[in-house]
Amino acid sequence: MLFAVPPGIGHVFPVVPLAWALRAAGHEVLVATAADGVAAVVRAGLPVVDTAPGLDVKAVFGAGQDTGRALAAQLREHGEEFVRSGGRTPDFVLGLYARISDRMAGETVRLARYWRPDVVVHTADQGAGLLAACATGVPSVEHGINFVREDALPERFLPFLAETAARLGVPDRLPERAALHVVPAEFLVGDGEGWPLRYVPYNAGGVLPDWLCRPAERPRVLVTLGTVLPSLGGLGGVAPLLAATAELDAEVLLAFGDGVDADALGPLPANTRLTGWVPLAALLASCSAIVHHGGSGTTLTALAAGVPQLVLPQAADQFVNAEVVAAHGLGVRRDPSEVDTATIRSLVADGELRVAARAAVARIRAQPAPAAVVPRLEALARRVPSPAPA
């Protein structure tokens, strides 16, 4: 099975449980990705091919030092469009996907033609994986990583990939397809059918600090903005959050990973602890609430942990994720400018939110585990003859 995913840990992490389920069942698995995704796959213990050595994702997106904030603003604008359209991916976002897919497609398609996978598993935004399936005629399996289902997305995406496909000699016809949805059907936005797949939080390994292995003396609130937004727009948006949490009778965990210049924040409030890189699921196990940007991995990991959420969406599908959280009583959505101490305090104290969040855990655990989906992928592969040797 060939897994083709965009660069970045937020795309790699959600597919690791299925990749390992296939490995455990005796199947060969190879991952095609680039940039930060390569190191993330290595940490997951899986073989990987760098399909775009030296790729600078921000440069491809036109997000240099002076333009990162402009791109973030555009993604915010189109994030609202995502919600208004009922989960239909905006053309602007498809254009961004196509840019990065073009840089990775040549090597991904070459790899597929050489390695001859039985199935190509890819995320919806990885056009290189879709083209690899088209090039070899094997089934394409779209691995969901968020709350969106969009059956028509491959047909809409192909025209954005037309020049790339022509350059690589890839036919413009779609292969047999399947989709995996990682959240229960009642939480999904958009139209389409697919196979349910339990979301299993994977956030890489990490050494747990001593304080995390002891009972908390007061409620813990986790604050994170993920890994992408701080790299685009910096940490300027964190100051209002810190001001809002400084007056809480709670321990505030500030989690931005190891690649962010936290010195820009200045002195931290007395109740705030900067965690460095600690697996998100391990942090959430002792938390009473989480404040975050609405990234899919963060939202789904919090959902799987049964922790009420305050979501401050800033780009693309984060707005859809935030709407789902609010609509199902799993937390609240706010604009970053609207955050205050009372909002976060009520998140910790609201019993109804906590009950709804814990009920969502049961729904997620009722989904088929990755190991249970393996036979369906095997059956799909048997329906389509393996490609001939290159």
mmCIF file with all atom_site columns, all heavy atoms in Angstrom, residues 65-82:
data_model
loop_
_atom_site.group_PDB
_atom_site.id
_atom_site.type_symbol
_atom_site.label_atom_id
_atom_site.label_alt_id
_atom_site.label_comp_id
_atom_site.label_asym_id
_atom_site.label_entity_id
_atom_site.label_seq_id
_atom_site.pdbx_PDB_ins_code
_atom_site.Cartn_x
_atom_site.Cartn_y
_atom_site.Cartn_z
_atom_site.occupancy
_atom_site.B_iso_or_equiv
_atom_site.pdbx_formal_charge
_atom_site.auth_seq_id
_atom_site.auth_comp_id
_atom_site.auth_asym_id
_atom_site.auth_atom_id
_atom_site.pdbx_PDB_model_num
ATOM 1   N N   . GLN A 1 65 ? 8.581   35.969 4.257  1.00 0.00 ? 65 GLN A N   1
ATOM 2   C CA  . GLN A 1 65 ? 8.549   36.697 5.526  1.00 0.00 ? 65 GLN A CA  1
ATOM 3   C C   . GLN A 1 65 ? 7.504   37.805 5.538  1.00 0.00 ? 65 GLN A C   1
ATOM 4   O O   . GLN A 1 65 ? 6.850   38.052 6.542  1.00 0.00 ? 65 GLN A O   1
ATOM 5   C CB  . GLN A 1 65 ? 9.936   37.278 5.813  1.00 0.00 ? 65 GLN A CB  1
ATOM 6   C CG  . GLN A 1 65 ? 10.027  37.953 7.177  1.00 0.00 ? 65 GLN A CG  1
ATOM 7   C CD  . GLN A 1 65 ? 11.448  38.362 7.489  1.00 0.00 ? 65 GLN A CD  1
ATOM 8   O OE1 . GLN A 1 65 ? 12.347  38.176 6.683  1.00 0.00 ? 65 GLN A OE1 1
ATOM 9   N NE2 . GLN A 1 65 ? 11.651  38.931 8.667  1.00 0.00 ? 65 GLN A NE2 1
ATOM 10  N N   . ASP A 1 66 ? 7.330   38.479 4.389  1.00 0.00 ? 66 ASP A N   1
ATOM 11  C CA  . ASP A 1 66 ? 6.409   39.618 4.340  1.00 0.00 ? 66 ASP A CA  1
ATOM 12  C C   . ASP A 1 66 ? 5.005   39.239 3.900  1.00 0.00 ? 66 ASP A C   1
ATOM 13  O O   . ASP A 1 66 ? 4.100   40.072 3.912  1.00 0.00 ? 66 ASP A O   1
ATOM 14  C CB  . ASP A 1 66 ? 6.954   40.688 3.384  1.00 0.00 ? 66 ASP A CB  1
ATOM 15  C CG  . ASP A 1 66 ? 8.283   41.247 3.860  1.00 0.00 ? 66 ASP A CG  1
ATOM 16  O OD1 . ASP A 1 66 ? 8.473   41.323 5.090  1.00 0.00 ? 66 ASP A OD1 1
ATOM 17  O OD2 . ASP A 1 66 ? 9.120   41.583 3.000  1.00 0.00 ? 66 ASP A OD2 1
ATOM 18  N N   . THR A 1 67 ? 4.829   37.995 3.451  1.00 0.00 ? 67 THR A N   1
ATOM 19  C CA  . THR A 1 67 ? 3.530   37.612 2.895  1.00 0.00 ? 67 THR A CA  1
ATOM 20  C C   . THR A 1 67 ? 2.813   36.539 3.696  1.00 0.00 ? 67 THR A C   1
ATOM 21  O O   . THR A 1 67 ? 1.690   36.187 3.378  1.00 0.00 ? 67 THR A O   1
ATOM 22  C CB  . THR A 1 67 ? 3.693   37.110 1.448  1.00 0.00 ? 67 THR A CB  1
ATOM 23  O OG1 . THR A 1 67 ? 4.638   36.029 1.438  1.00 0.00 ? 67 THR A OG1 1
ATOM 24  C CG2 . THR A 1 67 ? 4.186   38.205 0.535  1.00 0.00 ? 67 THR A CG2 1
ATOM 25  N N   . GLY A 1 68 ? 3.460   35.984 4.720  1.00 0.00 ? 68 GLY A N   1
ATOM 26  C CA  . GLY A 1 68 ? 2.826   34.932 5.504  1.00 0.00 ? 68 GLY A CA  1
ATOM 27  C C   . GLY A 1 68 ? 1.523   35.381 6.130  1.00 0.00 ? 68 GLY A C   1
ATOM 28  O O   . GLY A 1 68 ? 0.518   34.673 6.107  1.00 0.00 ? 68 GLY A O   1
ATOM 29  N N   . ARG A 1 69 ? 1.529   36.603 6.676  1.00 0.00 ? 69 ARG A N   1
ATOM 30  C CA  . ARG A 1 69 ? 0.296   37.106 7.295  1.00 0.00 ? 69 ARG A CA  1
ATOM 31  C C   . ARG A 1 69 ? -0.787  37.349 6.250  1.00 0.00 ? 69 ARG A C   1
ATOM 32  O O   . ARG A 1 69 ? -1.977  37.158 6.517  1.00 0.00 ? 69 ARG A O   1
ATOM 33  C CB  . ARG A 1 69 ? 0.591   38.380 8.080  1.00 0.00 ? 69 ARG A CB  1
ATOM 34  C CG  . ARG A 1 69 ? 1.364   38.132 9.376  1.00 0.00 ? 69 ARG A CG  1
ATOM 35  C CD  . ARG A 1 69 ? 1.670   39.421 10.119 1.00 0.00 ? 69 ARG A CD  1
ATOM 36  N NE  . ARG A 1 69 ? 2.301   39.155 11.396 1.00 0.00 ? 69 ARG A NE  1
ATOM 37  C CZ  . ARG A 1 69 ? 3.600   38.906 11.551 1.00 0.00 ? 69 ARG A CZ  1
ATOM 38  N NH1 . ARG A 1 69 ? 4.393   38.900 10.497 1.00 0.00 ? 69 ARG A NH1 1
ATOM 39  N NH2 . ARG A 1 69 ? 4.104   38.663 12.742 1.00 0.00 ? 69 ARG A NH2 1
ATOM 40  N N   . ALA A 1 70 ? -0.392  37.757 5.047  1.00 0.00 ? 70 ALA A N   1
ATOM 41  C CA  . ALA A 1 70 ? -1.376  37.970 3.981  1.00 0.00 ? 70 ALA A CA  1
ATOM 42  C C   . ALA A 1 70 ? -2.023  36.648 3.584  1.00 0.00 ? 70 ALA A C   1
ATOM 43  O O   . ALA A 1 70 ? -3.235  36.571 3.370  1.00 0.00 ? 70 ALA A O   1
ATOM 44  C CB  . ALA A 1 70 ? -0.699  38.620 2.770  1.00 0.00 ? 70 ALA A CB  1
ATOM 45  N N   . LEU A 1 71 ? -1.216  35.585 3.482  1.00 0.00 ? 71 LEU A N   1
ATOM 46  C CA  . LEU A 1 71 ? -1.764  34.273 3.152  1.00 0.00 ? 71 LEU A CA  1
ATOM 47  C C   . LEU A 1 71 ? -2.689  33.793 4.264  1.00 0.00 ? 71 LEU A C   1
ATOM 48  O O   . LEU A 1 71 ? -3.772  33.251 3.993  1.00 0.00 ? 71 LEU A O   1
ATOM 49  C CB  . LEU A 1 71 ? -0.640  33.264 2.932  1.00 0.00 ? 71 LEU A CB  1
ATOM 50  C CG  . LEU A 1 71 ? -1.068  31.816 2.656  1.00 0.00 ? 71 LEU A CG  1
ATOM 51  C CD1 . LEU A 1 71 ? -1.949  31.742 1.417  1.00 0.00 ? 71 LEU A CD1 1
ATOM 52  C CD2 . LEU A 1 71 ? 0.152   30.913 2.515  1.00 0.00 ? 71 LEU A CD2 1
ATOM 53  N N   . ALA A 1 72 ? -2.278  34.005 5.509  1.00 0.00 ? 72 ALA A N   1
ATOM 54  C CA  . ALA A 1 72 ? -3.129  33.605 6.632  1.00 0.00 ? 72 ALA A CA  1
ATOM 55  C C   . ALA A 1 72 ? -4.472  34.330 6.562  1.00 0.00 ? 72 ALA A C   1
ATOM 56  O O   . ALA A 1 72 ? -5.529  33.740 6.844  1.00 0.00 ? 72 ALA A O   1
ATOM 57  C CB  . ALA A 1 72 ? -2.420  33.897 7.954  1.00 0.00 ? 72 ALA A CB  1
ATOM 58  N N   . ALA A 1 73 ? -4.447  35.610 6.171  1.00 0.00 ? 73 ALA A N   1
ATOM 59  C CA  . ALA A 1 73 ? -5.698  36.370 6.055  1.00 0.00 ? 73 ALA A CA  1
ATOM 60  C C   . ALA A 1 73 ? -6.574  35.811 4.946  1.00 0.00 ? 73 ALA A C   1
ATOM 61  O O   . ALA A 1 73 ? -7.803  35.728 5.090  1.00 0.00 ? 73 ALA A O   1
ATOM 62  C CB  . ALA A 1 73 ? -5.385  37.845 5.795  1.00 0.00 ? 73 ALA A CB  1
ATOM 63  N N   . GLN A 1 74 ? -5.969  35.425 3.822  1.00 0.00 ? 74 GLN A N   1
ATOM 64  C CA  . GLN A 1 74 ? -6.740  34.825 2.728  1.00 0.00 ? 74 GLN A CA  1
ATOM 65  C C   . GLN A 1 74 ? -7.348  33.494 3.156  1.00 0.00 ? 74 GLN A C   1
ATOM 66  O O   . GLN A 1 74 ? -8.506  33.194 2.846  1.00 0.00 ? 74 GLN A O   1
ATOM 67  C CB  . GLN A 1 74 ? -5.833  34.606 1.509  1.00 0.00 ? 74 GLN A CB  1
ATOM 68  C CG  . GLN A 1 74 ? -5.483  35.870 0.756  1.00 0.00 ? 74 GLN A CG  1
ATOM 69  C CD  . GLN A 1 74 ? -4.583  35.566 -0.431 1.00 0.00 ? 74 GLN A CD  1
ATOM 70  O OE1 . GLN A 1 74 ? -3.487  35.034 -0.280 1.00 0.00 ? 74 GLN A OE1 1
ATOM 71  N NE2 . GLN A 1 74 ? -5.051  35.889 -1.617 1.00 0.00 ? 74 GLN A NE2 1
ATOM 72  N N   . LEU A 1 75 ? -6.581  32.701 3.869  1.00 0.00 ? 75 LEU A N   1
ATOM 73  C CA  . LEU A 1 75 ? -7.098  31.409 4.331  1.00 0.00 ? 75 LEU A CA  1
ATOM 74  C C   . LEU A 1 75 ? -8.242  31.603 5.322  1.00 0.00 ? 75 LEU A C   1
ATOM 75  O O   . LEU A 1 75 ? -9.176  30.803 5.364  1.00 0.00 ? 75 LEU A O   1
ATOM 76  C CB  . LEU A 1 75 ? -5.972  30.594 4.963  1.00 0.00 ? 75 LEU A CB  1
ATOM 77  C CG  . LEU A 1 75 ? -4.927  30.036 3.995  1.00 0.00 ? 75 LEU A CG  1
ATOM 78  C CD1 . LEU A 1 75 ? -3.759  29.428 4.760  1.00 0.00 ? 75 LEU A CD1 1
ATOM 79  C CD2 . LEU A 1 75 ? -5.553  29.000 3.067  1.00 0.00 ? 75 LEU A CD2 1
ATOM 80  N N   . ARG A 1 76 ? -8.163  32.669 6.095  1.00 0.00 ? 76 ARG A N   1
ATOM 81  C CA  . ARG A 1 76 ? -9.262  32.964 7.019  1.00 0.00 ? 76 ARG A CA  1
ATOM 82  C C   . ARG A 1 76 ? -10.529 33.326 6.242  1.00 0.00 ? 76 ARG A C   1
ATOM 83  O O   . ARG A 1 76 ? -11.618 32.835 6.535  1.00 0.00 ? 76 ARG A O   1
ATOM 84  C CB  . ARG A 1 76 ? -8.871  34.111 7.949  1.00 0.00 ? 76 ARG A CB  1
ATOM 85  C CG  . ARG A 1 76 ? -9.966  34.500 8.934  1.00 0.00 ? 76 ARG A CG  1
ATOM 86  C CD  . ARG A 1 76 ? -9.524  35.626 9.850  1.00 0.00 ? 76 ARG A CD  1
ATOM 87  N NE  . ARG A 1 76 ? -10.585 35.954 10.774 1.00 0.00 ? 76 ARG A NE  1
ATOM 88  C CZ  . ARG A 1 76 ? -10.831 35.308 11.904 1.00 0.00 ? 76 ARG A CZ  1
ATOM 89  N NH1 . ARG A 1 76 ? -10.071 34.282 12.244 1.00 0.00 ? 76 ARG A NH1 1
ATOM 90  N NH2 . ARG A 1 76 ? -11.818 35.661 12.699 1.00 0.00 ? 76 ARG A NH2 1
ATOM 91  N N   . GLU A 1 77 ? -10.374 34.169 5.228  1.00 0.00 ? 77 GLU A N   1
ATOM 92  C CA  . GLU A 1 77 ? -11.525 34.570 4.420  1.00 0.00 ? 77 GLU A CA  1
ATOM 93  C C   . GLU A 1 77 ? -12.180 33.358 3.764  1.00 0.00 ? 77 GLU A C   1
ATOM 94  O O   . GLU A 1 77 ? -13.414 33.211 3.773  1.00 0.00 ? 77 GLU A O   1
ATOM 95  C CB  . GLU A 1 77 ? -11.065 35.557 3.347  1.00 0.00 ? 77 GLU A CB  1
ATOM 96  C CG  . GLU A 1 77 ? -12.151 35.944 2.348  1.00 0.00 ? 77 GLU A CG  1
ATOM 97  C CD  . GLU A 1 77 ? -11.610 36.759 1.194  1.00 0.00 ? 77 GLU A CD  1
ATOM 98  O OE1 . GLU A 1 77 ? -10.481 37.280 1.309  1.00 0.00 ? 77 GLU A OE1 1
ATOM 99  O OE2 . GLU A 1 77 ? -12.324 36.872 0.174  1.00 0.00 ? 77 GLU A OE2 1
ATOM 100 N N   . HIS A 1 78 ? -11.373 32.476 3.208  1.00 0.00 ? 78 HIS A N   1
ATOM 101 C CA  . HIS A 1 78 ? -11.930 31.321 2.525  1.00 0.00 ? 78 HIS A CA  1
ATOM 102 C C   . HIS A 1 78 ? -12.385 30.243 3.505  1.00 0.00 ? 78 HIS A C   1
ATOM 103 O O   . HIS A 1 78 ? -13.167 29.376 3.140  1.00 0.00 ? 78 HIS A O   1
ATOM 104 C CB  . HIS A 1 78 ? -10.918 30.773 1.525  1.00 0.00 ? 78 HIS A CB  1
ATOM 105 C CG  . HIS A 1 78 ? -10.694 31.685 0.356  1.00 0.00 ? 78 HIS A CG  1
ATOM 106 N ND1 . HIS A 1 78 ? -11.618 31.819 -0.656 1.00 0.00 ? 78 HIS A ND1 1
ATOM 107 C CD2 . HIS A 1 78 ? -9.675  32.540 0.067  1.00 0.00 ? 78 HIS A CD2 1
ATOM 108 C CE1 . HIS A 1 78 ? -11.165 32.706 -1.539 1.00 0.00 ? 78 HIS A CE1 1
ATOM 109 N NE2 . HIS A 1 78 ? -9.999  33.152 -1.127 1.00 0.00 ? 78 HIS A NE2 1
ATOM 110 N N   . GLY A 1 79 ? -11.913 30.319 4.741  1.00 0.00 ? 79 GLY A N   1
ATOM 111 C CA  . GLY A 1 79 ? -12.439 29.426 5.765  1.00 0.00 ? 79 GLY A CA  1
ATOM 112 C C   . GLY A 1 79 ? -13.903 29.690 6.038  1.00 0.00 ? 79 GLY A C   1
ATOM 113 O O   . GLY A 1 79 ? -14.704 28.764 6.203  1.00 0.00 ? 79 GLY A O   1
ATOM 114 N N   . GLU A 1 80 ? -14.276 30.954 6.067  1.00 0.00 ? 80 GLU A N   1
ATOM 115 C CA  . GLU A 1 80 ? -15.688 31.303 6.232  1.00 0.00 ? 80 GLU A CA  1
ATOM 116 C C   . GLU A 1 80 ? -16.502 30.793 5.044  1.00 0.00 ? 80 GLU A C   1
ATOM 117 O O   . GLU A 1 80 ? -17.642 30.347 5.192  1.00 0.00 ? 80 GLU A O   1
ATOM 118 C CB  . GLU A 1 80 ? -15.832 32.822 6.363  1.00 0.00 ? 80 GLU A CB  1
ATOM 119 C CG  . GLU A 1 80 ? -15.186 33.423 7.606  1.00 0.00 ? 80 GLU A CG  1
ATOM 120 C CD  . GLU A 1 80 ? -16.022 33.221 8.860  1.00 0.00 ? 80 GLU A CD  1
ATOM 121 O OE1 . GLU A 1 80 ? -16.974 32.398 8.829  1.00 0.00 ? 80 GLU A OE1 1
ATOM 122 O OE2 . GLU A 1 80 ? -15.719 33.879 9.876  1.00 0.00 ? 80 GLU A OE2 1
ATOM 123 N N   . GLU A 1 81 ? -15.919 30.839 3.844  1.00 0.00 ? 81 GLU A N   1
ATOM 124 C CA  . GLU A 1 81 ? -16.589 30.315 2.653  1.00 0.00 ? 81 GLU A CA  1
ATOM 125 C C   . GLU A 1 81 ? -16.825 28.814 2.781  1.00 0.00 ? 81 GLU A C   1
ATOM 126 O O   . GLU A 1 81 ? -17.855 28.281 2.344  1.00 0.00 ? 81 GLU A O   1
ATOM 127 C CB  . GLU A 1 81 ? -15.741 30.612 1.417  1.00 0.00 ? 81 GLU A CB  1
ATOM 128 C CG  . GLU A 1 81 ? -16.345 30.124 0.100  1.00 0.00 ? 81 GLU A CG  1
ATOM 129 C CD  . GLU A 1 81 ? -15.413 30.337 -1.075 1.00 0.00 ? 81 GLU A CD  1
ATOM 130 O OE1 . GLU A 1 81 ? -14.484 31.165 -0.969 1.00 0.00 ? 81 GLU A OE1 1
ATOM 131 O OE2 . GLU A 1 81 ? -15.614 29.663 -2.111 1.00 0.00 ? 81 GLU A OE2 1
ATOM 132 N N   . PHE A 1 82 ? -15.852 28.121 3.386  1.00 0.00 ? 82 PHE A N   1
ATOM 133 C CA  . PHE A 1 82 ? -15.971 26.681 3.632  1.00 0.00 ? 82 PHE A CA  1
ATOM 134 C C   . PHE A 1 82 ? -17.270 26.382 4.389  1.00 0.00 ? 82 PHE A C   1
ATOM 135 O O   . PHE A 1 82 ? -18.003 25.443 4.078  1.00 0.00 ? 82 PHE A O   1
ATOM 136 C CB  . PHE A 1 82 ? -14.775 26.224 4.479  1.00 0.00 ? 82 PHE A CB  1
ATOM 137 C CG  . PHE A 1 82 ? -14.057 25.013 3.957  1.00 0.00 ? 82 PHE A CG  1
ATOM 138 C CD1 . PHE A 1 82 ? -12.686 25.009 3.855  1.00 0.00 ? 82 PHE A CD1 1
ATOM 139 C CD2 . PHE A 1 82 ? -14.741 23.860 3.610  1.00 0.00 ? 82 PHE A CD2 1
ATOM 140 C CE1 . PHE A 1 82 ? -11.990 23.899 3.396  1.00 0.00 ? 82 PHE A CE1 1
ATOM 141 C CE2 . PHE A 1 82 ? -14.066 22.741 3.163  1.00 0.00 ? 82 PHE A CE2 1
ATOM 142 C CZ  . PHE A 1 82 ? -12.690 22.763 3.051  1.00 0.00 ? 82 PHE A CZ  1
#
